[in-house]
Every structure is written in C-alpha cells, then in structure tokens.
Amino acid sequence: MTLAQKTAQLVGLWAGARRDDNAAPMQDQLIADGMHVDEFAAHGLGQLTRHWGTTPIAVEAGTAELRRRQAALAERTGIRALVHEECLTGVLAWGATTYPTPLAWGAAFDPELTERLGRRIGDDLRALGVHQGLGPVLDVVRDARWGRVEECIAEDPFTVGVVGSAYVRGLESAGVVATLKHFAGYSGSRAGRNHAPVSVGPRELADVHLPPFERAIRAGARSVMNAYNDVDGVPAAGSADLLTGTLRDRWGFDGTVVADYFAVRFLETMHGVAADGEDAAVLALSAGIDVELPTGSDYLAPLVAAVESGRIDESLIDRALRRVLRQKLDLGLLGAAEPEGDPTVDLDSAANRALAREMADASIVLLQNDGVLPLDAGRTPRLAVVGPNADRFGAVFGCYSFVKHVLPRHPEVDPLIAAPTVAEALRGRWPGEVDVVEGCAVMDDDVSGIDAAVAAATAADVVVAVMGDDSGMFGRGTSGEGCDREDLSLPGVQEQLLHALVETGRPVVLVLLTGRPYALGAAADRCAAVVQAFFPGQEGGPAIVDALLGVTSPSGRLPVQMPRPGTPQPGSYLAPKLGSLTGVSSADPTPRHPFGHGLGYTTFVREGLSVAETRVAVDGVVEAEVTVRNAGDREGADVLQVYASDPAAQVVRPLRQLVAFRKVPLASGEAQTWRVSIPAAAFAFTGVAGHRIVEPGRIVLRVAADAADEGQAIEIDLIGDVQRVDVIADEPVWERRG
C-alpha cells in the first residue's frame, strides 16, 4: 500500500447521509466546497462517521446510499469503510426506539437486562449496516454538576464495570464493535466542567477511573475512545502511558483506539501541546490513537508530511494500520462488497418498545412515600398534573437521543416515535378528573404561570408535580454534553413552583425527570412522595404512571447519591473517614439519600448473613450466604447489596465500597437464600508502592439496603502474604440456595 492509501484507512469521513453527497457542516474546514465523498476517499477510507445519526433519513434511502458508497470503495480499493454510530440510548437514527439513558441502567441494577438491551441495539445497528457502536460510557460519576452525568452508569466503579460489561457483551454478541469511552478520567474534571483539566492522583485514577475499562475489555470490547481531558497536564489523546502503557502493555488490549471527535486537533487548539496539525498527528499516533475521528484533518496530509520529513517513522502508521485492517477482516470488510443493511428493518418494533418499557420500569426509584402512593382513585378522584415536564414531549429523552441530538436542527421533521407524556398516560388511565397546568418552564425565570398551577392544585385531591431537566447540547439544555451546572438546585423557578404547591396543603407527589441528581430543599421534604426517573426514554411516561398507580412496584435504586442543599461538591459515597462528616469541618457531605437507596410498595428483610470460612487466603474466594424475605403483601424486587470495609490498610480507603449486588424479584411472603462467591481480589487497592494488591488483615462484609444502612455485618480475616494483583477480579458469582 502507498503511504496515502495507508493513512486513508486511519481516518473517518463525516459526510452523514446527505442526498447531495456534500460534507457535513462541521467538515467545512477539511473538504473544499463541492468536493464529492468519492474524491475525499480516492485512496480509500477508514470509517464513515454517523451515516444515520447526522440528518433524518429514511431506512430505505439510507441503506441504498450506504450500499452505493461501500460498493464504490470496494471497487476502488477492495476495502470498505467501517461504519460507526452513537448508541447510548438506542440507535441514533430517525425513528429508532429511544431507550432509557445509561444512568437509568445503573438505577435498574440489572446486568442481565442491560445485556439484552445491548444485544437488541446491536441487532438494529447491524441491520442498518453499522459495524461499530460508540458506547458504553464508562466514566465514573464524581461530580453531579457535570453535564454528562446522564450518559454515565453510576458513581461506583464496580457497578459501572459490571453493568457496562453487560452492555458490551450484548453489543458484541450482535457482531458490533463496542467502543469504551472516555479513556480516561474525563468525569473527574475540575468543578464538573466539560473538557476541564483533571487533577486526580495516580491512585484515584487506578482505583476509580480505570477498573470499569479493564473489566469491559475482559468482557470483549474491541475498541476504546480517548477522553478529551488532560490528567495532570497530559492530554489523554497524547498520553502514551494511558493508550499504550496501560491499555496495551498492561491489559493486553489488541483492538483499535479511536479519537473522540476532533480530539487530535484539540491537542493544538484546546490543550496547546501541539503547534499545528502535523504536531498533533505525530503526538496522537505515537501515543496510540489508531483512527482519527470524525474526519481526516490531521492523519492525512499532515501525517504524510511528517513521515516524508522524517519526523515520524512509517512503522507507527503500519502499527495502527494492522489493527484497523485486522478488525475490518473480522468484520468482513475486505474484498468484494457484500450488500449490507436491511431496508425493511423496523427500528421501533413492538419488541423494542417492550424492552424499553422493561428497562424504564426497572429503573424508577421511589425516594420517599408517606403512603399516598400507589394513588387510589376511590380516595383521591381529582388530580392536578403540574410542572414543566408534565406534558412536554422531550422531557423523557437524553442528549444522545435522536430527538434531542439531531431533530433540534430539523424542527419540521416528525420524530416517528411515540412517547406519551406523564400527563397523557395519566389521562388514559385515571378514572377521575385530570387537570394539567405547566406552571413554569424548565429553564427561564418566568413565574407568571405559578398562580394557575396553585389554583389547579387547590381544586385537586392530589398534585402530581413533574419537574426536572431539559436535555440538550453545549448550553442548550440543563443536562447533557456541555450543559454543566454551577449548583444543584432545580433549574429555573421550579423550586418556587414546588414551594407554592406544597403550601396549598394538598398532597404533592414530586416526579423528577432528570439527567443528574438534584439537591432537593425543604419543599421536597414536605412532599407526600418523591419519584426519580433518569430520562427513562419513550416508554418512560407510561412506566412512571404504572408506578404511581401501583401496577408496578418501583424497584430502582440510586446509582448516584442525592445531595442536600449545600452538600459540598464534588461528592461520592466512596469517601474515607475524613471525607465524611467530622468535627474538623463545618461542611457536611452527608447526602439526602445515599447511593443504593430506593423504596417500594413492600418491605424486605435481609437476614442470616454467614460465611463459609472466616479465614480466607489473600488469593482465595469469600463465600457468603444471606436470606432475603418479602415481608409485605405485594410482590416486588429487592437489590441485595454487599459492601466491604477495610478498617486498617496501608493507604486511605473508603469507609465502604460495593463488591457485589443482585436484583431479586420476590412474591409476597417469599424468601430466597443466595450464596455469593466474591474473589479476595475484589478487595484489592493500589498500595504505597503503586501496585494493585490484596493485603492480609480484617475485612468487614455488610449486606445492606444502601451505602448508609448498617444492615448485617460479618468479619473475615484475609491471611497470607501481600498478594500483587495484575488482573482485575472476576465478577462475583451468585447462586440461589433455597
């Protein structure tokens, strides 16, 4: 292959699915006006960027266009392009089912369900001729003010790793390359600002940010995407230590590393560690980025110039090329063109919607309830449904949904999917009167609608107040990429509206549709019930109504703790002793609701915690048993949560950390006994010498309702010499015993 042919395989092209074949708007700097895609790809093409997720295009037309482009590439070079697409809330395509956000997957605490979700999304991607999905996001939530919290799974690295790995297995089982992002440390940005510098130490990076990626690579992920941030002054896109030393040399990863969009150029324009595009290309390729996305600004002419001038050896291009071609060979993209894509695929099938509903049901978290829920039309016949998210179509969608990511540029286009609002779903189910009043908008400071909302509340028996976020991109929303918050109060004048509603004396059920946890104040304390849903997708409205009416029993748990007003940020349940409430600081980090919190319409009793052996080798396995019983008169599902504490370690450790969880559905009165086998390596941490170790000594295991619950505790002793651990611990194995 010529040098031009080689570099052509290392770039993407963001041409979208435009009928005129012109470059997408963001590519104006890279392709002269009027340049044809075929001209850009004269020497070949590595990837087609977001063929489906750039503009609205029907399946039949999009499939025909994709086949034409791939056939032209095959005829010219014998190598077709790998097609990639976003897949955080489903396939980013016009009319495709929109599922709950990843934060809802975390709230569901159900890896098996998440794996089924990944498989279904993967099947639809392959039906569209897509080979690579840009997901899952494995950033561990560290600061709730960060706009991309909605794209994350949890604030706990174990939960992120287990649930994220399940999604990876689902995508990969469908033949789709899963892309782990953003590697690494992105969510640790200063003050929760997007792209901001990250100042974590090597131990926090190793014990919090990296483990989910290592676990997901073991689960079979074939691609990794770099993070935009720098870590202690070194941008991830130019970090050989991260992209080669950690990822490949230590973990043995042999897939491809792709650049987050424009990350190579950002080495010059945002980070200032490169003088120009050639500098940026040399730095990124040397560090280990194989493919420049979404475009070919720096890996084409600038990289060729660097080789010809002797600044970089061509062997580094060959290194990346081998990885790219090996993956294309596995995907069947070498040789004669095979028609890909099914022009008849139904992207919003009944099966898709059923799965979207199942995930929405499983992820709803009941935070508080004085007995008003489930709603009873016999006792409270008249409802007032109030709030900016009560009857707004976009309220249930995250920023990487087609509705929020693409359609704002096409306001005239029908979204092609149904997403009943909470108000619409209640109108269809409630036998009594339902008055709907907006009260205020999500973001602005207009209070003129509050009086009408108060009047409706006063005339009602129960008020359902639906509030929260409006997801968007780069400041065009209250949640989403680039929509970071200075504080965690509800946006706009929603707190004022909520205060006015509770002042009526009517029972208020607060329903939160958000992409992050908010710091609820005194008005929420006075609510009869509070329900949290993290952008539950197109089936979210009916799922919420079923939870309110008791058709389903809420079984979600908080994947992120919910702060109080004034709770210091950033915050995490993974706090050591001096990171929790102490007498040496007046700032109280105690959350309103802890990680793992969630109620239902029944009561669960966890009892009989025992271990097979109280002395376990540092390279052994802890076997614990516990019985969970549904002591109420309704069916429901509990989430068994097992936490570990290390009272005396060679470095500062969290007071407790989740090491196992299991969602357990139970009928009324039913009891189940479960055994969980937890490798001692699950208690590993990065020691003083900088290596991951299991240290002999006392470990306290606790089965609890959440991260703050005392629950049941039992002590074990790890025995033997300090054990160095080079591979992340296997996932715990759960076995039902009775």
Side-chain angles (χ1 to χ4, degrees):
M1 297 174 71
T2 67
L3 187 56
Q5 289 172 328
K6 290 178 179 180
T7 56
Q9 291 298 320
L10 307 185
V11 302
L13 172 64
W14 198 352
R18 292 187 176 277
R19 266 59 71 192
D20 58 8
D21 249 6
N22 289 329
M26 292 182 72
Q27 230 173 309
D28 290 344
Q29 62 179 3
L30 310 170
I31 304 178
D33 288 342
M35 178 178 279
H36 196 277
V37 168
D38 292 343
E39 184 179 352
F40 179 90
H43 299 288
L45 181 63
Q47 297 205 12
L48 274 169
T49 292
R50 283 176 50 178
H51 175 82
W52 297 99
T54 298
T55 59
I57 186 169
V59 170
E60 186 174 0
T63 300
E65 178 64 15
L66 185 57
R67 286 179 175 181
R68 188 197 68 77
R69 288 179 176 170
Q70 293 284 43
L73 284 170
E75 182 178 354
R76 187 181 310 119
T77 68
I79 306 173
R80 281 166 282 153
L82 185 152
V83 183
H84 76 253
E85 192 51 81
E86 300 284 0
C87 59
L88 288 183
T89 61
V91 180
L92 193 69
W94 189 28
T97 302
T98 303
Y99 299 92
T101 55
L103 198 58
W105 312 349
F109 278 94
D110 191 338
E112 291 86 356
L113 177 57
T114 305
E115 183 169 344
R116 286 195 284 122
L117 180 72
R119 175 58 192 250
R120 183 158 291 278
I121 292 171
D123 285 342
D124 282 346
L125 287 168
R126 290 301 295 124
L128 292 177
V130 176
H131 312 99
Q132 181 170 3
L134 302 188
V137 169
L138 298 182
D139 299 306
V140 178
V141 176
R142 302 297 279 170
D143 191 328
R145 295 173 296 179
W146 193 48
R148 303 193 80 165
V149 167
E150 65 173 69
E151 301 174 47
C152 303
I153 293 169
E155 69 178 60
D156 173 67
F158 174 75
T159 306
V160 175
V162 170
V163 175
S165 293
Y167 187 71
V168 166
R169 288 191 294 270
L171 275 186
E172 292 280 357
S173 68
V176 173
V177 174
T179 306
L180 312 180
K181 56 185 189 176
H182 309 85
F183 192 70
Y186 190 24
S187 57
S189 61
R190 293 178 190 165
R193 297 181 64 248
N194 198 37
H195 289 216
V198 172
S199 301
V200 302
R203 185 165 290 102
E204 183 177 342
L205 187 69
D207 288 351
V208 175
H209 294 279
L210 294 182
F213 290 91
E214 184 180 359
R215 191 174 295 282
I217 285 169
R218 288 190 65 191
R222 288 181 284 171
S223 189
V224 171
M225 175 179 277
N226 76 278
Y228 282 129
N229 58 280
D230 71 78
V231 177
D232 196 26
V234 180
S239 174
D241 181 60
L242 269 178
L243 302 180
T244 299
T246 296
L247 188 60
R248 297 192 185 278
D249 296 343
R250 282 178 46 208
W251 296 350
F253 177 67
D254 63 357
T256 56
V257 175
V258 300
D260 203 346
Y261 287 12
F262 305 104
V264 175
R265 178 53 60 91
F266 285 170
L267 291 171
E268 172 199 353
T269 61
M270 304 284 270
H271 295 295
V273 297
D276 52 28
E278 184 176 324
D279 241 9
V282 169
L283 182 57
L285 185 69
S286 300
I289 289 184
D290 301 314
V291 181
E292 181 188 9
L293 296 180
T295 63
S297 59
D298 296 328
Y299 271 24
L300 291 178
L303 193 54
V304 169
V307 172
E308 292 175 342
S309 69
R311 284 195 63 193
I312 191 171
D313 195 279
E314 191 170 344
S315 62
L316 286 179
I317 292 177
D318 293 341
R319 180 182 72 174
L321 180 64
R322 279 193 295 271
R323 295 166 184 162
V324 167
L325 292 183
R326 186 185 308 118
Q327 200 161 87
K328 287 195 172 187
L329 178 64
D330 292 342
L331 293 166
L333 295 175
L334 304 185
E338 297 291 337
E340 288 193 283
D342 177 2
T344 67
V345 65
D346 182 358
L347 294 178
D348 190 32
S349 66
N352 282 10
R353 294 193 300 273
L355 186 57
R357 178 61 172 274
E358 188 177 352
M359 180 61 84
D361 286 338
S363 64
I364 293 170
V365 186
L366 180 60
L367 298 177
Q368 64 190 60
N369 182 23
D370 70 359
V372 69
L373 296 181
L375 295 174
D376 183 345
R379 291 187 290 112
T380 55
R382 185 167 183 174
L383 299 180
V385 185
V386 177
N389 284 342
D391 205 22
R392 185 171 61 84
F393 174 76
V396 293
F397 298 116
C399 74
Y400 269 85
S401 63
F402 200 86
V403 167
K404 299 301 252 180
H405 202 81
V406 177
L407 289 188
R409 300 191 299 274
H410 305 272
E412 77 288 353
V413 173
D414 186 331
L416 299 184
I417 57 173
T421 66
V422 173
E424 288 171 340
L426 267 174
R427 284 194 193 103
R429 300 289 301 278
W430 191 252
E433 291 188 55
V434 178
D435 294 332
V436 180
V437 181
E438 182 182 45
C440 68
V442 170
M443 284 188 280
D444 65 33
D445 58 0
D446 182 4
V447 298
S448 62
I450 292 181
D451 286 346
V454 168
T458 303
D461 297 300
V462 173
V463 181
V464 178
V466 191
M467 300 183 177
D469 278 320
D470 183 10
S471 192
M473 300 282 288
F474 301 109
R476 296 186 293 274
T478 60
S479 174
E481 184 173 359
C483 297
D484 310 313
R485 299 279 297 169
E486 295 176 2
D487 62 62
L488 292 174
S489 58
L490 283 172
V493 295
Q494 293 183 75
E495 291 272 9
Q496 189 172 339
L497 172 60
L498 184 60
H499 177 78
L501 294 175
V502 298
E503 281 294 308
T504 66
R506 298 294 187 268
V508 176
V509 176
L510 174 60
V511 176
L512 295 166
L513 288 169
T514 71
R516 61 161 62 83
Y518 278 101
L520 304 178
D525 292 336
R526 297 170 59 190
C527 287
V530 179
V531 175
Q532 172 70 62
F534 295 110
F535 290 138
Q538 70 185 67
E539 292 292 323
I544 289 168
V545 168
D546 271 1
L548 296 180
L549 300 182
V551 177
T552 59
S553 180
S555 64
R557 302 291 187 267
L558 284 177
V560 285
Q561 63 182 11
M562 181 163 281
R564 297 172 295 101
T567 301
Q569 294 297 321
S572 168
Y573 94 94
L574 294 170
K577 187 171 185 178
L578 287 176
S580 54
L581 180 62
T582 69
V584 296
S585 172
S586 60
D588 184 358
T590 306
R592 175 189 180 90
H593 297 298
F595 171 86
H597 172 74
L599 307 175
Y601 297 146
T602 188
T603 303
F604 297 103
V605 176
R606 302 160 204 94
E607 54 198 3
L609 176 63
S610 65
V611 292
E613 299 287 343
T614 58
R615 290 167 59 82
V616 178
V618 291
D619 60 351
V621 175
V622 176
E623 293 188 346
E625 273 193 12
V626 66
T627 297
V628 57
R629 177 168 49 88
N630 182 347
D633 58 4
R634 296 176 56 105
E635 65 179 16
D638 190 25
V639 178
L640 289 173
Q641 301 171 45
V642 184
Y643 294 89
S645 301
D646 190 346
Q650 63 178 255
V651 298
V652 175
R653 300 288 295 136
L655 288 174
R656 63 172 69 177
Q657 186 165 358
L658 191 69
V659 293
F661 64 85
R662 176 82 186 192
K663 198 161 199 175
V664 181
L666 293 164
S668 172
E670 182 184 6
Q672 293 182 13
T673 299
W674 285 85
R675 172 175 289 181
V676 58
S677 300
I678 305 171
F683 313 130
F685 58 88
T686 301
V688 171
H691 307 303
R692 184 164 55 198
I693 61 170
V694 178
E695 193 177 35
R698 187 65 51 88
I699 294 290
V700 180
L701 279 187
R702 191 181 308 272
V703 175
D706 55 50
D709 177 39
E710 286 302 309
Q712 291 189 86
I714 196 166
E715 295 183 349
I716 60 170
D717 288 314
L718 297 179
I719 58 175
D721 297 328
V722 172
Q723 176 84 10
R724 180 165 172 172
V725 181
D726 293 323
V727 178
I728 198 164
D730 291 335
E731 292 183 15
V733 176
W734 289 86
E735 178 187 2
R736 184 173 172 183
R737 306 290 287 180

